[in-house]
């Protein structure tokens, strides 16, 4: 495995590498990332993983400075699984001030976008830059960041990028908590409580499968259940899977998404729901 830090060296290396499958990450790799990296091997000759904590997608009061940076440990995990780790510095990715941005679709202002203005614009901009730099045939993203994956699919389709996108299933701890680099911010009691987010979504899915169609009421019940245990809830929302628009009683392919704070840690999760 080679670690490459510059765009020029990466391009030179990939010119001889055959087909490329690409897993963009911000590092601090956990089993969710590693699952994508292992899948990537099945799609191309060369597996590239990027590790770049993108300042453009963090708001001024967010955790950019304290986001865990663990490049050495990440490279050790990737050794033997990836062919290239692309780990550019901020001034390599943003050699000039970024004045051109991807304007994501309207859905970027809802759900996580409502609480994180500019986040998806910064995310989509860096993902487009990375896709242009790596020029993969296939790229893989986790479904844990469901709204992110939706926006990337829209961007790739509408910008006519010749890239296949694979959405990897969310990898969970034994108690159901979705793996996330931010889980390590949780204290021991918070970590025990954290599984309740998944349990709440699971209860809502169970009720929908059991015939419940009043999604506004289901969302309110879920928010109240979380708030009653001390969570500060951003949203619980039942949406159509293909558009992420609000779901109605006639929709069959749904996803329930949630974001909520435990203490100062913001956790997100989602579950797909297939109604018969
Ligand atoms: O999901 C992430 O880790 C980031 O948002 C991504 C896609 C690597 C862009 O910085």
């Amino acid at each position: 495995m080679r670690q490459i830090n510059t765009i020029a060296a990466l391009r030179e290396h990939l010119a001889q590498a055959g087909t490329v499958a690409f897993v963009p990450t911000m590092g601090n790799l956990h089993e969710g990332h590693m699952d994508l990296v292992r899948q990537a091997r099945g799609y191309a000759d060369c597996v590239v993983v990027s590790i770049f904590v993108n300042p453009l997608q963090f708001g001024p009061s967010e955790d950019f400075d304290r986001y865990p940076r663990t490049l050495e440990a990440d490279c050790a995990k990737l050794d033997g699984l990836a062919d290239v780790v692309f780990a550019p510095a901020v001034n390599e990715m943003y050699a000039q001030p970024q004045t051109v941005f991807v304007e994501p679709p309207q859905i970027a202002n809802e759900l996580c976008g409502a609480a994180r203005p500019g986040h998806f614009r910064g995310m989509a901009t860096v993902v487009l830059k990375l896709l242009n730099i790596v020029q993969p045939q296939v790229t893989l993203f986790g479904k844990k960041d469901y709204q992110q994956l939706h926006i990337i699919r829209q961007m790739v389709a509408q910008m006519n990028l010749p890239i296949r996108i694979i959405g990897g299933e969310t990898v969970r701890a034994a108690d159901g908590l979705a793996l996330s680099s931010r889980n390590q911010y949780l204290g021991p009691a918070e970590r025990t409580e954290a599984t309740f987010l998944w349990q709440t979504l699971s209860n809502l899915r169970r009720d929908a499968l059991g015939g419940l169609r009043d999604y506004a009421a289901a969302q309110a019940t879920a928010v109240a259940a979380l708030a009653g245990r001390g969570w500060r809830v951003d949203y619980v929302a039942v949406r159509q899977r293909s558009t992420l628009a609000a779901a109605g009683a006639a929709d069959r392919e749904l996803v329930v998404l949630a974001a909520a704070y435990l203490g100062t840690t913001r956790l997100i999760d989602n579950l797909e729901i297939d109604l018969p």
Side-chain angles (χ1 to χ4, degrees):
M1 187 189 74
R2 278 192 58 179
Q3 184 189 326
I4 297 180
N5 304 112
T6 68
I7 296 167
L10 181 71
R11 287 200 163 130
E12 196 183 325
H13 181 84
L14 293 182
Q16 318 293 334
T19 55
V20 174
F22 176 41
V23 183
T25 81
M26 296 203 300
N28 196 242
L29 304 179
H30 51 65
E31 195 43 40
H33 299 110
M34 300 313 292
D35 187 52
L36 295 177
V37 174
R38 281 191 287 270
Q39 283 188 54
R41 177 62 61 204
Y43 290 104
D45 304 320
C46 174
V47 173
V48 178
V49 177
S50 65
I51 296 181
F52 179 64
V53 184
N54 171 36
L56 228 55
Q57 69 188 73
F58 288 80
S61 59
E62 292 184 350
D63 56 347
F64 175 70
D65 287 332
R66 73 164 177 153
Y67 198 86
R69 288 154 172 91
T70 52
L71 182 59
E72 210 176 309
D74 292 342
C75 288
K77 285 182 187 164
L78 290 169
D79 201 19
L81 292 176
D83 299 296
V84 176
V85 173
F86 177 51
V90 170
N91 60 6
E92 178 71 9
M93 284 300 286
Y94 298 110
Q96 4 175 336
Q98 190 76 25
T99 56
V100 177
F101 296 89
V102 173
E103 187 60 42
Q106 180 55 30
I107 192 68
N109 302 319
E110 298 180 27
L111 303 170
C112 282
R116 304 187 67 190
H119 166 67
F120 288 116
R121 180 180 188 249
M123 179 285 294
T125 301
V126 84
V127 170
L128 182 62
K129 284 165 73 85
L130 287 166
L131 294 177
N132 283 331
I133 292 165
V134 178
Q135 301 194 1
Q137 281 67 42
V138 178
T139 181
L140 299 93
F141 294 87
K143 285 190 188 176
K144 155 128 189 317
D145 295 295
Y146 209 89
Q147 190 178 9
Q148 166 173 285
L149 176 59
H150 175 83
I151 290 167
I152 291 168
R153 283 190 191 283
Q154 297 294 308
M155 177 180 77
V156 165
Q158 294 182 29
M159 295 299 185
N160 304 93
L161 302 184
I163 302 173
R164 180 173 170 200
I165 300 176
I166 308 293
E169 296 303 324
T170 300
V171 178
R172 297 180 181 281
D175 67 352
L177 176 67
L179 298 192
S180 163
S181 301
R182 290 186 168 104
N183 291 350
Q184 64 196 264
Y185 300 155
L186 300 167
E190 290 173 337
R191 171 61 192 85
T192 305
E193 172 62 21
T195 184
F196 194 70
L197 186 60
W198 171 74
Q199 285 170 18
T200 304
L201 299 185
S202 301
N203 290 344
L204 196 155
R205 176 165 70 177
R206 178 203 59 209
D207 294 345
L209 289 171
L212 181 144
R213 293 291 175 272
D214 184 348
Y215 299 132
Q219 290 166 187
T221 303
V223 169
L226 286 160
R229 298 172 67 106
W231 294 69
R232 186 159 56 84
V233 184
D234 265 358
Y235 65 85
V236 176
V238 181
R239 297 286 168 117
Q240 299 169 18
R241 221 143 72 202
S242 58
T243 60
L244 293 190
D251 294 313
R252 289 289 164 267
E253 294 192 340
L254 310 179
V255 56
V256 55
L257 309 103
Y261 284 86
L262 250 190
T264 56
T265 306
R266 187 175 186 273
L267 299 178
I268 62 172
D269 202 354
N270 64 80
L271 282 181
E272 293 181 336
I273 307 173
D274 285 299
L275 296 181

